[in-house]
Amino acid sequence: MALVTLETLFDPVVAEIMRMRLEAGGIEAVVFDAGIASLIGPGLSGVRLMVLDEDAAAARSLLAATE
């Protein structure tokens, strides 16, 4: 079970909202690098929204449907 990067975002708040959308849809997701992004400043360091490899296609579909 490998994690894959679904998206790299430059706004940690948006990344967290997307994580919550995925989890509400039954897909576990995590946000990596939010701590370093908050130290460096918004827009300078991306945060990674990650899901299990086997959930990536469903996660992309779910996020596309909720945009």
Side-chain angles (χ1 to χ4, degrees):
M1 288 193 216
L3 287 173
V4 295
T5 301
L6 193 62
E7 262 190 76
T8 300
L9 303 136
F10 290 93
D11 186 338
V13 174
V14 171
E16 195 58 35
I17 291 169
M18 292 174 76
R19 183 196 65 76
M20 289 187 292
R21 283 184 186 158
L22 290 171
E23 295 209 349
I27 299 171
E28 287 189 47
V30 291
V31 175
F32 278 87
D33 304 323
I36 192 70
S38 67
L39 289 173
I40 295 174
L44 299 176
S45 176
V47 295
R48 295 176 288 159
L49 178 64
M50 302 185 81
V51 297
L52 292 174
D53 186 37
E54 58 264 23
D55 293 335
R60 285 187 181 93
S61 294
L62 180 76
L63 290 176
T66 59
E67 285 186 351

